[in-house]
Structure formats: C-alpha cells, structure tokens
Amino acid sequence: AQSVTQPDIHITVSEGASLELRCNYSYGATPYLFWYVQSPGQGLQLLLKYFSGDTLVQGIKGFEAEFKRSQSSFNLRKPSVHWSDAAEYFCAVGEFGGGFKTIFGAGTRLFVKA
Amino acid sequence: DTAVSQTPKYLVTQMGNDKSIKCEQNLGHDTMYWYKQDSKKFLKIMFSYNNKELIINETVPNRFSPKSPDKAHLNLHINSLELGDSAVYFCASSQDGRGAETQYFGPGTRLLVL
C-alpha cells in the first residue's frame, strides 16, 4: 500500500520569507500526487497535482511543487509567504484499487509571523 | 453557490444514539466520498460512491452506513455512536473518480459524542 510522510508537524516562517514543505511518498510506479490546503474550520482545497509531464508543477495562490522520483519526494514551495497562507497543508498520493483512493499525509501546520 | 454542502455543521450527541449527516453537491460530479479527520488532523477515506454505486469501503465498522439516493447526494448514517466516532467528517466529490482529478470538499461536520 502507498503511504505519505510529512516529516514536519509544524513550521513557522516570517511573512515575506520563502517556504518549503516536505513530502515523501512510497509507491512503485509513477504516483498521482497532490497538495491540499485546509484553512481553520474549513474543508480542503486542492493547490496542485502531478501525474505526468513536467516535474515542476504550478498551482494556485503562487504555490509550486517539484516531483523528484530519485528522492520519492514532492515538496511544496512558495517564494514569499503571506499571512493568509497560515493553514494546514496535506500532501497526498492516489492509488487505484477498485476505485481511485487518495491517501493523505498527517499534515504540516504552517504558522506565519509578522 | 456552495459546490459541496454538508448538514449539520456541528453535531453533539450521546453515546448509543443514531445520527445522520447529509451531503449534496451541485457540480454534476459522478463520484462522492466520505472522509474522517481525527483529532490529530489525520484524514482517512471511508467510502466512495460512483453514480450511486459503492466503490470503496475502507474497513469501516458496519455501524456506518452510507446511502446515495442519487448521484448528487451521499448521506452517512451512524448507529450506536461511540466516543471514538468523535471527529470531523468531510464529504467530497470529483468528476468520475478515475484518476488525478480534483476533489472538492465540503466544509465538514464536527461530531462530538459524549
């Protein structure tokens, strides 16, 4: 079975600083990979996804992620963080098994300080 | 217009009771899902339905019974509620459930079992 590891439970960055959230997955073939964001008290919103093609994926809100097969990673980046980016971020991997199933990591909570 | 809506938003009940959570999507999607998010923010799929047919059932206790009267609705009925059922339950939908498509999440139902 596939799994997703987000090594950082929480991260604090200053507003305007760059951000990188780490994600590692385990899967034999080319995976379907996603990043979702969850603002406090809200549902999840898709930031970006990867399943083939260019390994650098652009998403909404200025986020991007890079798929690195050699490192089994799909790290999320943003060059300049805004206070409104404070939220919980989930990396996820998809697998087929009867239907398409999304496996989520444990999440990384982002705090932004002024 | 809300894409994926859930009712109620909050639900507080006693152990042993039976309760239902309703979900509706107005996106014209064929596939709907139920996820459970525990107190540590860990998000796990419970069920998925495609065109009213059960596709994924992730070893959820049979006290949980999903029902899809039509492809725009997926309700979750829980019998004999237990303390461990306290969580946030998210409904989601996607176009056809076949691959790397965007899932749209509802705002969640916060269930507290006393």
Side-chain angles (χ1 to χ4, degrees):
Chain A
Q2 298 189 57
S3 65
V4 179
T5 303
Q6 293 181 248
D8 304 306
I9 296 173
H10 56 80
I11 281 183
T12 301
V13 299
S14 298
E15 192 169 16
S18 64
L19 169 70
E20 183 168 30
L21 301 181
R22 296 184 291 164
C23 173
N24 294 96
Y25 65 90
S26 68
Y27 187 59
T30 300
Y32 291 82
L33 294 163
F34 309 83
W35 274 100
Y36 283 85
V37 61
Q38 183 181 26
S39 297
Q42 303 296 316
L44 279 72
Q45 181 184 22
L46 181 70
L47 288 174
L48 48 79
K49 60 187 177 185
Y50 170 82
F51 56 96
S52 67
D54 194 345
T55 56
L56 184 61
V57 181
Q58 301 298 320
I60 62 171
K61 305 185 181 190
F63 285 92
E64 66 178 26
E66 186 171 12
F67 169 61
K68 292 185 178 179
R69 184 188 301 276
S70 61
Q71 298 177 19
S72 297
S73 69
F74 189 57
N75 294 349
L76 182 72
R77 300 194 294 248
K78 186 169 185 178
S80 178
V81 167
H82 188 261
W83 64 266
S84 61
D85 293 324
E88 190 90 26
Y89 290 81
F90 292 93
C91 182
V93 62
E95 67 175 10
F96 288 95
F100 187 80
K101 187 166 61 176
T102 307
I103 313 295
F104 287 86
T108 297
R109 182 71 187 271
L110 174 64
F111 296 94
V112 180
K113 57 181 182 181
Chain B
D1 283 343
T2 303
V4 181
S5 59
Q6 295 179 228
T7 54
K9 191 168 183 178
Y10 299 95
L11 186 52
V12 182
T13 188
Q14 300 286 332
M15 263 197 322
N17 284 351
D18 303 338
K19 291 293 178 186
S20 291
I21 307 172
K22 296 188 176 184
C23 177
E24 177 181 2
Q25 54 95 4
N26 62 7
L27 298 167
H29 289 165
D30 287 343
T31 303
M32 296 184 72
Y33 311 81
W34 277 111
Y35 288 88
K36 178 181 179 181
Q37 187 175 45
D38 64 22
S39 58
K40 295 184 179 178
K41 299 284 188 177
F42 185 62
L43 192 67
K44 191 173 189 307
I45 190 167
M46 301 173 69
F47 303 102
S48 79
Y49 269 74
N50 182 275
N51 266 321
K52 304 191 297 175
E53 181 184 345
L54 180 65
I55 301 298
I56 292 174
N57 182 341
E58 279 293 293
T59 59
V60 178
N62 57 15
R63 297 184 296 104
F64 290 79
S65 52
K67 289 216 170 27
S68 183
D70 55 63
K71 72 175 192 177
H73 296 84
L74 181 61
N75 304 323
L76 184 64
H77 187 76
I78 315 170
N79 289 326
S80 303
L81 277 155
E82 300 178 356
L83 294 177
D85 297 333
S86 296
V88 183
Y89 292 84
F90 287 100
C91 177
S93 74
S94 66
Q95 186 61 54
D96 56 24
R98 287 186 206 158
E101 55 194 18
T102 301
Q103 290 187 34
Y104 294 84
F105 283 76
T109 294
R110 284 141 189 86
L111 171 65
L112 178 61
V113 182
L114 303 174

